């Protein structure tokens, strides 16, 4: 079954504020996680990934935090902009170790308030 | 060229029709994927091709028939579909079947089955 899920289906954030999107997973064997952004009418777009040997990884305006103790990861977006409006999915490499497969979580819609 | 293209963008078909979805990439990727995405749901993996050979079939009904004629092209042949098959069909590609490699997604084909 699907082990990756999200705490909130929607998140509304003031433009310029930081956004934090959370994700929980259930299989302690999961070792690789990816965040995707999907804008309306488009396919998912890779944002950032993290392996289980790391706690934190930073990109341009985005940071992913991984807490293996509580099986939780988060995506932080700094200085949220209107272009950040999208659905954000966390995904994990199949913990059954099939190389090809990633499993998507349920998704969080991010609304940017003017 | 870092783009995955899909045609058509929209498709409406009856339950007795036969149609095909097409996907193309020119990034030299050797793994290609079909996903199905229902409204407000995450993408779900259907098929994976690696070096033009089918490597994963996620127990997809036989009314969906994938084909990989060469390393740049991926087709999904549709026959005798049901209304519940209406969804966004996403194609993706990656360097190879190792899921540590970023998957690049196309914009999808929105399919409606009447």
């Amino acid at each position: 079954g699907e082990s990756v899920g999200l705490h909130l289906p929607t998140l509304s954030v003031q433009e310029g504020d930081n956004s934090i999107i959370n994700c929980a997973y259930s299989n302690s064997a999961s070792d690789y996680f990816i965040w995707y952004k999907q804008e309306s009418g488009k396919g998912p777009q890779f944002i950032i990934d993290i392996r289980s040997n790391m706690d934190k990884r930073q990109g341009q305006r985005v940071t992913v935090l991984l807490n293996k103790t509580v099986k939780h990861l988060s995506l932080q977006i700094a200085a949220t902009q209107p272009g950040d409006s999208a659905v954000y999915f966390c995904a994990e490499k199949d913990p059954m170790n099939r190389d090809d497969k990633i499993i998507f979580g349920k998704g969080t819609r991010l609304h940017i308030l003017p | 060229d870092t783009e995955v293209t899909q045609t058509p963008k929209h498709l409406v078909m009856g339950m007795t029709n036969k149609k095909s979805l097409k996907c193309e990439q020119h990034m030299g990727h050797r793994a290609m994927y079909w996903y199905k995405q229902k409204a407000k749901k995450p993408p779900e993996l259907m098929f994976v091709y690696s070096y033009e050979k089918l490597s994963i079939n996620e127990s997809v009904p036989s009314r969906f028939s994938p084909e990989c004629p060469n390393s740049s092209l991926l087709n999904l042949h549709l026959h005798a579909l049901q209304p519940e098959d209406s969804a966004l069909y996403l194609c993706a590609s990656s360097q190879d079947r190792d899921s540590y490699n970023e998957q690049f997604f196309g914009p999808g084909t929105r399919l409606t089955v009447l």
Side-chain angles (χ1 to χ4, degrees):
Chain A
E2 185 178 322
S3 70
V4 179
L6 291 166
H7 295 303
L8 293 173
T10 60
L11 178 66
S12 295
V13 175
Q14 206 76 36
E15 183 179 347
D17 288 352
N18 296 337
S19 302
I20 300 175
I21 302 171
N22 295 304
C23 185
Y25 63 97
S26 58
N27 193 323
S28 56
S30 298
D31 69 348
Y32 178 61
F33 303 89
I34 314 119
W35 282 99
Y36 284 90
K37 172 186 181 182
Q38 187 173 21
E39 296 176 87
S40 181
K42 296 185 179 180
Q45 178 186 10
F46 174 96
I47 302 173
I48 193 167
D49 59 359
I50 189 167
R51 298 202 186 197
S52 59
N53 60 354
M54 303 174 73
D55 297 323
K56 179 180 180 178
R57 191 151 188 245
Q58 288 185 289
Q60 189 175 11
R61 275 201 313 118
V62 295
T63 301
V64 55
L65 299 177
L66 177 62
N67 185 330
K68 295 179 284 294
T69 303
V70 296
K71 295 198 277 291
H72 178 271
L73 69 158
S74 65
L75 177 70
Q76 300 179 5
I77 305 173
T80 311
Q81 303 169 358
D84 296 326
S85 288
V87 177
Y88 290 81
F89 293 101
C90 62
E92 64 174 334
K93 179 177 176 292
D94 186 347
M96 299 297 288
N97 287 321
R98 288 191 298 176
D99 289 340
D100 313 66
K101 186 174 179 181
I102 60 171
I103 302 169
F104 282 79
K106 290 184 173 59
T108 292
R109 181 172 297 281
L110 180 62
H111 289 290
I112 312 303
L113 303 171
Chain B
D1 184 0
T2 57
E3 193 179 17
V4 175
T5 59
Q6 291 187 243
T7 55
K9 291 192 71 172
H10 301 275
L11 178 62
V12 179
M13 60 186 291
M15 288 189 284
T16 58
N17 292 156
K18 284 186 181 180
K19 296 287 184 183
S20 296
L21 310 184
K22 296 186 184 301
C23 174
E24 191 167 3
Q25 57 86 16
H26 295 288
M27 294 178 276
H29 289 172
R30 303 314 298 266
M32 296 186 77
Y33 311 78
W34 280 116
Y35 288 84
K36 174 182 178 179
Q37 186 176 25
K38 300 284 277 185
K40 300 185 180 178
K41 297 289 187 183
E44 294 179 340
L45 184 67
M46 299 174 72
F47 302 104
V48 180
Y49 272 82
S50 176
Y51 290 84
E52 294 124 68
K53 287 186 168 46
L54 184 66
S55 70
I56 291 182
N57 176 342
E58 287 286 295
S59 302
V60 179
S62 60
R63 57 185 185 269
F64 295 91
S65 175
E67 178 197 19
C68 191
N70 61 57
S71 61
S72 299
L73 292 174
L74 186 66
N75 298 321
L76 186 62
H77 303 297
L78 313 172
H79 174 53
L81 294 195
Q82 304 296 310
E84 58 264 29
D85 297 322
S86 298
L88 180 68
Y89 288 85
L90 293 161
C91 174
S93 70
S94 64
Q95 186 172 346
D96 58 39
R97 60 181 285 176
D98 184 344
S99 56
Y100 295 113
N101 290 316
E102 178 180 345
Q103 291 188 20
F104 292 79
F105 283 82
T109 292
R110 188 160 299 281
L111 174 68
T112 303
V113 182
L114 300 176

